[in-house]
Amino acid sequence: MSTILALLETRDGKLRPASQEVLGAARTLADARSGRVVALVTESAGDADASLGGFGADEVLVASGERHSPDGAAATAARVARETSAEVVLLAATVRGRDLQGRIAALLDTGFASDCTAVDPESLVWTRPVYGGRAVAKVRVVGPVAVASLRGNHFPVVRREAEAEVKEIAPEPGQAHVVTVEAKQSARPDVAEAARVIAGGRGMGGPENWHLLERIADAVPGMALGASRAVVDAGWRPHSEQVGQTGKTVSPELYVAAGISGAIQHLAGMNSSKVIVAINRDPEAPIFQHATYGIVGDVNEVLPALAEELEKQDLQ
Amino acid sequence: MKILVFVKRVPATTARIRVADGLRMDPEGVEFVLNPYDEFAVEEALRRKEAAGGDATVTAITLGPPEAQKELRTVLAMGADEAILLTHSDAAFLDAEATAQVLAEQAEQRGPWDLVFFGKQAVDRDQHGVGPSVATRLGMPCLSEIVELEIADGKATARREVEGASETLEAPLPCAFTCQKGLNEPRYASLKGIMAAKRKPLETVQVDLPPAKVEVVELAPPPPRPPGRIVGEGAAAVPELVRALREEAKVL
């Protein structure tokens, strides 16, 4: 029977949102290929129990080490892929997932497809944006097993009534280790993971105007803050919020670009968003050509009105 | 101390990407540059060499077309001591794992290395995989996407930003690193550096490419976004925008 191996990430015992999608995609592939989904967790188990059956897993393997080791986790994943004769190894295209995919492919002497936005379950042809979203490639992995990482917000999360079988397995040792994980204090989600993003650019005028964006983010559930490269380079906002080619690639359901002109490098990081809203004073700004909805106007005037209107809707 | 830095020639981030035959990018008229993330890798390699003093050396290596000499000269001008161009006319089209295989074989023959640096991704195929794969093939630990690095007492300690958190990692030396923006401020090549680079050793090696591990079935421009509309001007347009987001797009 075909095995789809889903490598999951947890933090503080909680399954990461991107990993829920990985399990969903694994379920879709397994159903199309009459296979089963084996989920692998290489950190402290926490949530990784029989309840993962509800997200699509048939079997859950827990190789809990005290600390995450990138090379150890890759070796464990490669061993499990061999033992289960996995046809596909799926990961989230997160910092950790991107770190592991090449290692796992190297250990299995196969290829990998990174940051995929779709897959054909029959042919196993993977769709992935390349050249920072300036082109889209369809690729097939040539090798005994296809390793692929999946971009967030592109694969449906599965919810079903089922329990998975859970087994403890031995982790492989590694040389490198994560020694501390400091979660961000902010209550807002990370821009790379959020389903909704509001991002500001130079047109915001200065870092002192970011409260306008924060007020909107407070009114919309699960909304993260983003920034253009120009404002990060100017020191207005941290690099962790930068969206674009030298920042994070995001594809939320809603992306609001405030005072962002839409340089090609910025578009590269967000043009796969489902709905794009552009607010800009300059009607000729390139961002309007990519926007689903646009408002031509000064952010200092439009954003407070938008915040007020959203607060009235009581979305929280 | 022997330091190795892996670099790549890539299209400039502002270049328009055209597809030649449904499978490959058409390089005609495209400006190529040193991969932006590799600048952080080169800078970090140079700083480690300067900190070590003595007979520490920085070697830059790339797999690329013959034209990639230009990017290697840039790295030499920044301060690297020598450069190696592994070349094949189709090198730019090889997938990440097969590329890692070629690079790891060559690095192994020329090693051992104390420190190995990569950019966290090349901005052409955006794979993020070559660094960790080469390190795995060399049997070295690899700390990826790092924004801070401290090396002391035979140990590397690095920090990286992951989704919603900051992680500190440790590994024994020798160690590999993939470099993220924020790690350092890459230097510009000085005029003196550019002149000196012309006399530094740049070795060209013709290599055979292994069979591809990923086959491109199709390369196409991104699908056009459905046409949008200007909702209106100024604050007066806000109620209509919110209505459209709730009722048409259903994203609120």
Side-chain angles (χ1 to χ4, degrees), chain A residues 277-310:
Chain A
V277 173
I279 303 166
N280 204 297
R281 217 166 22 187
D282 175 10
E284 303 298 321
I287 190 78
F288 283 119
Q289 286 164 28
H290 300 263
T292 322
Y293 304 110
I295 292 182
V296 178
D298 189 331
V299 289
N300 291 305
E301 184 203 331
V302 177
L303 292 175
L306 181 57
E308 205 170 303
E309 185 69 21
L310 290 168

Side-chain angles (χ1 to χ4, degrees), chain A residues 44-313:
Chain A
S44 60
D47 273 2
D49 55 22
S51 70
L52 290 188
F55 287 103
D58 295 308
E59 194 179 329
V60 179
L61 303 178
V62 182
S64 53
E66 280 173 45
R67 303 178 298 178
H68 174 71
S69 165
D71 42 336
T76 306
R79 189 192 80 211
V80 171
R82 273 194 218 98
E83 285 169 357
T84 58
S85 311
E87 199 182 10
V88 179
V89 178
L90 292 182
L91 311 86
T94 52
V95 172
R96 282 194 179 184
R98 292 196 302 243
D99 182 25
L100 296 182
Q101 59 186 359
R103 304 172 192 254
I104 296 170
L107 294 170
L108 295 173
D109 195 23
T110 191
F112 70 92
S114 179
D115 219 3
C116 301
T117 54
V119 58
D120 181 88
E122 273 83 38
S123 63
L124 291 183
V125 167
W126 307 86
T127 302
R128 51 182 312 267
V130 289
Y131 301 103
R134 287 171 288 167
V136 179
K138 291 192 173 173
V139 301
R140 192 182 288 122
V141 174
V142 186
V145 43
V147 177
S149 65
L150 308 181
R151 183 177 287 188
N153 293 330
H154 281 272
F155 297 87
V157 173
V158 166
R159 294 302 292 153
R160 58 171 199 170
E161 290 291 322
E163 294 223 325
E165 193 186 333
V166 182
K167 275 188 206 157
E168 288 278 338
I169 62 165
E172 293 290 327
Q175 298 184 74
H177 290 95
V178 169
V179 288
T180 62
V181 179
E182 251 177 82
K184 295 262 157 65
Q185 290 310 304
S186 165
R188 289 188 224 290
D190 189 272
V191 64
E193 294 182 314
R196 300 181 183 96
V197 173
I198 185 161
R202 269 242 189 258
M204 289 296 296
E208 67 279 6
N209 292 331
W210 242 256
H211 66 94
L212 299 172
L213 301 179
E214 284 167 359
R215 188 173 156 203
I216 291 169
D218 286 341
V220 179
M223 188 172 242
L225 293 176
S228 72
R229 176 181 172 165
V231 309
V232 171
D233 284 355
W236 298 1
R237 301 300 298 178
H239 179 244
S240 58
E241 288 181 6
Q242 187 184 324
V243 172
Q245 203 152 20
T246 48
K248 288 175 177 165
T249 302
V250 303
S251 40
E253 290 202 344
L254 172 62
Y255 188 90
V256 182
I260 292 177
S261 63
I264 192 164
Q265 295 95 331
H266 187 77
L267 295 170
M270 45 63 83
N271 62 4
S272 64
S273 305
K274 191 174 149 209
V275 171
I276 296 173
V277 173
I279 303 166
N280 204 297
R281 217 166 22 187
D282 175 10
E284 303 298 321
I287 190 78
F288 283 119
Q289 286 164 28
H290 300 263
T292 322
Y293 304 110
I295 292 182
V296 178
D298 189 331
V299 289
N300 291 305
E301 184 203 331
V302 177
L303 292 175
L306 181 57
E308 205 170 303
E309 185 69 21
L310 290 168
E311 283 161 2
K312 263 198 280 180
Q313 305 281 330

Side-chain angles (χ1 to χ4, degrees), chain A residues 96 99 102 131 134 294 313, chain B residues 15 97 124 144 167 217 231 246:
Chain A
R96 282 194 179 184
D99 182 25
Y131 301 103
R134 287 171 288 167
Q313 305 281 330
Chain B
E97 275 303 330
D124 49 4
S144 296
E167 292 185 340
V217 183
V231 177
R246 296 205 75 172

Side-chain angles (χ1 to χ4, degrees), chain B residues 19-71:
Chain B
V19 178
D21 52 0
L23 292 175
R24 290 180 172 192
M25 186 206 92
D26 180 1
E28 190 60 38
V30 171
E31 183 200 350
F32 284 84
V33 296
L34 176 65
N35 177 41
Y37 292 106
D38 297 349
E39 293 181 16
F40 304 117
V42 172
E43 178 62 36
E44 200 59 30
L46 294 173
R47 288 189 188 189
R48 297 299 153 184
K49 171 193 155 149
E50 287 155 7
D55 57 357
T57 58
V58 172
T59 303
I61 188 167
T62 192
L63 172 63
E67 294 83 359
Q69 277 211 14
K70 174 174 89 76
E71 284 67 38

